[in-house]
Amino acid sequence: MCIFCKIIKGEIPSEKVHDDDICIAFKDIHPKAPFHLLIVPKEHIAKVSELEEGKHDHLIGHLVNVANKLAKKEGVEGYKLQFNVGEKAGQEVMHVHMHLMGW
Ligand code: 5GP
Ligand code: ZN
């Protein structure tokens, strides 16, 4: 099982800030911004390029909605939402996740 699936199952601890039927969000262990969360779908999909049209259409919109709510709640004024897709682009964990990096 991948490391993010273990975090979702609670087998590896994380600083969780959000949990719903579709995704969880937790603090990145090595923050690259003053506020750095990872927003992670509960379904194991290795990378964004493997999302299936029709089946996963709702998913990314949901992650963005959650990011907007968390940023607002935490008083983050400006933020980047980022997906790294594939090892060449710097994806280290092969389970879809959106970075929320805020200032
Ligand atoms: P990627 O480079 O795959 O887009 O980003 C993976 C992110 O996951 C990195 O920013 C890294 O710091 C974070 N990360 C890796 N392992 C763990 C972990 O066990 N716990 C948490 N909270 N973050 C992790
Ligand atoms: Zn996984």
Side-chain angles (χ1 to χ4, degrees):
M1 198 189 296
C2 92
I3 191 161
F4 284 178
C5 281
K6 287 181 180 166
I7 287 176
I8 289 161
K9 284 197 156 206
E11 291 175 8
I12 292 177
S14 68
E15 286 191 65
K16 202 158 63 173
V17 296
H18 175 84
D19 190 344
D20 66 33
D21 289 346
I22 297 168
C23 72
I24 68 167
F26 52 88
K27 293 187 180 174
D28 195 293
I29 205 166
H30 294 126
K32 291 156 198 80
F35 185 75
H36 189 171
L37 299 181
L38 300 171
I39 305 175
V40 184
K42 289 187 170 173
E43 181 180 349
H44 178 88
I45 305 159
K47 46 187 175 176
V48 163
S49 54
E50 294 181 7
L51 291 171
E52 290 178 41
E53 204 174 336
K55 187 178 175 193
H56 296 125
D57 290 349
H58 66 290
L59 198 60
I60 302 302
H62 181 75
L63 301 186
V64 172
N65 288 340
V66 169
N68 289 337
K69 282 179 193 161
L70 291 172
K72 197 171 185 182
K73 187 174 149 193
E74 299 292 339
V76 174
E77 288 177 23
Y79 46 103
K80 292 181 187 177
L81 301 176
Q82 181 173 315
F83 293 96
N84 297 327
V85 186
E87 283 171 22
K88 279 202 173 177
Q91 185 180 357
E92 290 173 3
V93 178
M94 289 299 150
H95 180 132
V96 168
H97 53 279
M98 186 171 73
H99 294 262
L100 163 51
M101 289 171 282
W103 288 264

